[in-house]
Amino acid sequence: MAVTPPAAPSAPAPALAASPVRAAAPAPPPAAAFTARPPAAVSGPAVSPAGEEAGSGDRGGGVVRLAGPVPGALAHRYAALPPPLRVALAALRLEVLLGDPRDAANPYSLPALTSAPAASPASAGSAASAASAGAGEGEGWDGRAGALLTAAGLGQVCAADQRVRALRPLLRRDLALGHAAGRWGGPGMPPARRVRGQDGESSPVSSLVSSPVPAALLGPAALVAAAGSVLRQAALTVAGRGSGEPALRQWQPVLAAAFADLLACESLTCVALRRPAAPAPAPGPGAGPGPGVGAGLLGAVAGYVVPTVLADVLAQLGLVLAECGHGPASAGGGMLAKLTGDLPLAGVDAAGAAHWQARLARALPALAAEEPRTAHRGPLPAPFRLADPPAPAGIAAAGEQESGHTPGGHTPGGHEPGGYGVGGDSVVLSGLLRAGAARADGADGADGADGADGADTGRAALGALARRLLTEQRALRRPCRTAGADPGAVAARALADRQALLWLAAAVLGVREAADDGRGLFLGGTHWALLALSGIAGRLGVPLPGPAPDPRAPVWAELADRVRRGVDCDVYATRLLW
């Protein structure tokens, strides 16, 4: 079977072969009935059906004719940091299966999803299951999600970070819907079920089995994507009406800061997803001081920092939308209200953040004892290089070779292989913060994303800010060594809060440096990183160093350009289909 080439410009937009059922969630069409055309902005090849790959010699033996010079052209046109072709195809299939988000008659549209009740386990499917009464077992959202994601080819995507990328079309639309779909384990697998964690079944982030995305990271990943959709709505309004209504221009710096915070949170989440999963410690009092149930340090930090930082971002977006006349009945206001109501369901509300904050507080003494005293040297570890393919699941070799670890062995410092457990990730993050502080002179070369004139200035400002944050981290070392005596105390939680924000800053520095590869990517520039670190310093109450260039104007220019060109607000700069 072959996929049809893109239709002529005058042809109607492509659609599924079978019209979706209006009253209930549509069963995905067979793979043979699926043809799609990418968006006009992409101008790329047609999308192949699930199970088929470009070229020949694949496992299924299928050959798909793509309208491009090379089969990989689709992945490069799909995002500035292209995913593997299999992931790009799965994401495009899923986006077409979900249909036009602006069509109110589509059960997966934003109007239909935002009208569903919030903060209920049934809310994920309530917008699309009005006729599901009397349906057999497995015909609710979990069953339909499995059929939908199987048709899109998600079962072929096993790496956690790539699974989240392929799921992003769904994660963007609705937090509850995306969180439910993230629990899907693959074709023929039952939906992921909750099991008892160390804190009992009442834990808001109990571990999920049979899903490749760790439970601690599923909620933050879904929240980042859903918050990005609200940011796009607000930016579209301000960018579209700003020329005719000058009063709206005052919100441009606010949205720029929200964009930088969103990129910072996604950077941390992506790095955590790219870490090979650590085995979950056995429940019980002797499980040790580790920060999470199979999540590792980065998972615990993301579980706390992402909901905390994005709570401020959502509050700012609500203010912008309200001032622009977008109340709860509007598209943007409805999305924000639904997202806010679904936070408890995904474990990314205040209770979920407090759960991970307590885990971090218990781990602080061990983390402080293992903090390095030198800057990170050598190539960046693989998890920070978002443009590289991820390491195979369960194999830590890619990250170990960069960090001096050996498979199955231990580092000279006694850390666990691959940086798992309590100390390894904190060593890397702290070393990156020291390395960022050491680069204040801008001696690393020109920054292509910032331009020749502003590269050195931006690097110097970023290094000076990293130095200020490093001073704060050094001041925390002594009190953190005794914080674990009472992890529930206010002082211990405050220390965990400050340390987590510093690790967020280190993740930003690592991701930015890895993306600064001479291609002129926005992610490799200093503007967004400087704005994100300024926000982190503000949350810590740390004064900003000396005069520095204001990065808000160039960050807003990037955001406005993205929403005009149909590009997502993510670290990968993904092109949107609708």
Side-chain angles (χ1 to χ4, degrees):
M1 165 197 150
V3 170
T4 60
S10 59
L16 303 182
S19 299
V21 180
R22 305 301 187 194
F34 179 83
T35 59
R37 182 182 66 188
V42 177
S43 186
V47 182
S48 64
E52 295 190 0
E53 292 296 331
S56 59
D58 59 312
R59 295 180 181 179
V63 178
V64 176
R65 293 189 293 273
L66 293 176
V70 293
L74 173 63
H76 286 273
R77 293 173 180 174
Y78 179 70
L81 294 179
L85 179 60
R86 185 188 303 270
V87 177
L89 292 175
L92 285 173
R93 291 187 203 106
L94 180 58
E95 198 156 9
V96 173
L97 289 169
L98 290 170
D100 189 346
R102 296 158 295 187
D103 181 8
N106 175 13
Y108 294 117
S109 67
L110 293 176
L113 293 171
T114 54
S115 64
S120 167
S123 63
S126 59
S129 59
S132 61
E137 184 177 357
E139 291 299 322
W141 165 244
D142 285 333
R144 288 188 174 94
L148 183 71
L149 302 182
T150 299
L154 265 293
Q156 304 172 22
V157 182
C158 299
D161 67 315
Q162 302 300 335
R163 173 66 71 89
V164 169
R165 287 194 72 173
L167 275 173
R168 192 170 178 96
L170 193 149
L171 300 178
R172 280 194 299 261
R173 300 202 181 196
D174 186 81
L175 177 62
L177 186 69
H179 186 265
R183 298 166 52 207
W184 180 70
M189 296 291 293
R193 58 184 176 85
R194 294 192 178 274
V195 296
R196 176 178 289 274
Q198 288 182 337
D199 292 344
E201 292 179 340
S202 61
S203 167
V205 283
S206 299
S207 60
L208 303 174
V209 297
S210 79
S211 174
V213 182
L217 297 171
L218 178 56
L223 176 58
V224 165
S229 293
V230 181
L231 174 61
R232 277 184 52 81
Q233 289 290 325
L236 277 169
T237 300
V238 173
R241 292 165 47 189
S243 58
E245 302 179 42
L248 295 184
R249 296 176 193 168
Q250 64 177 319
W251 302 116
Q252 293 178 1
V254 175
L255 295 180
F259 184 32
D261 287 340
L262 197 67
L263 292 176
C265 290
E266 189 175 9
S267 296
L268 174 65
T269 305
C270 289
V271 171
L273 285 167
R274 290 172 60 84
R275 296 292 285 160
V293 182
L297 171 67
L298 288 175
V301 174
Y304 170 67
V305 162
V306 173
T308 303
V309 172
L310 292 190
D312 295 339
V313 170
L314 294 178
Q316 293 290 334
L317 294 179
L319 178 61
V320 174
L321 289 169
E323 290 295 325
C324 293
H326 290 262
S330 66
M335 290 169 58
L336 179 60
K338 178 64 163 55
L339 170 59
T340 304
D342 285 337
L343 294 178
L345 179 66
V348 286
D349 59 343
H355 173 86
W356 290 114
Q357 186 187 38
R359 297 281 180 121
L360 289 172
R362 285 198 293 272
L364 285 178
L367 296 172
E370 297 184 353
E371 184 178 330
R373 297 182 180 274
T374 59
H376 175 82
R377 301 183 185 279
L380 282 167
F384 294 89
R385 302 196 300 267
L386 303 186
D388 292 353
I395 298 178
E400 292 160 354
Q401 292 175 0
E402 266 73 60
S403 304
H405 298 280
T406 56
H410 295 271
T411 63
H415 309 306
E416 298 181 17
Y420 304 146
V422 176
D425 285 327
S426 71
V427 170
V428 173
L429 293 172
S430 298
L432 286 173
L433 194 58
R434 290 174 178 271
R439 295 190 180 100
D441 56 359
D444 292 7
D447 188 339
D450 289 338
D453 295 336
D456 292 345
T457 302
R459 286 178 180 274
L462 194 60
L465 186 50
R467 265 206 311 268
R468 186 62 55 89
L469 296 175
L470 178 60
T471 301
E472 174 67 16
Q473 186 181 48
R474 288 169 175 165
L476 293 180
R477 185 183 300 120
R478 185 183 298 275
C480 281
R481 288 174 180 171
T482 59
D486 185 7
V490 174
R493 288 180 175 268
L495 287 172
D497 173 82
R498 301 183 75 80
Q499 185 61 77
L501 287 170
L502 291 170
W503 282 325
L504 175 64
V508 169
L509 291 170
V511 167
R512 189 217 69 82
E513 183 181 346
D516 183 17
D517 55 3
R519 288 184 290 168
L521 298 174
F522 175 74
L523 195 66
T526 57
H527 295 311
W528 76 273
L530 184 58
L531 187 53
L533 262 62
S534 298
I536 292 172
R539 292 180 175 92
L540 290 169
V542 174
L544 296 178
D550 188 349
R552 293 178 296 179
V555 173
W556 163 252
E558 170 71 14
L559 176 60
D561 184 61
R562 286 194 183 193
V563 298
R564 291 190 186 104
R565 293 188 296 114
V567 177
D568 200 3
C569 303
D570 62 343
V571 294
Y572 303 105
T574 304
R575 295 182 183 270
L576 300 174
L577 180 63
W578 304 101

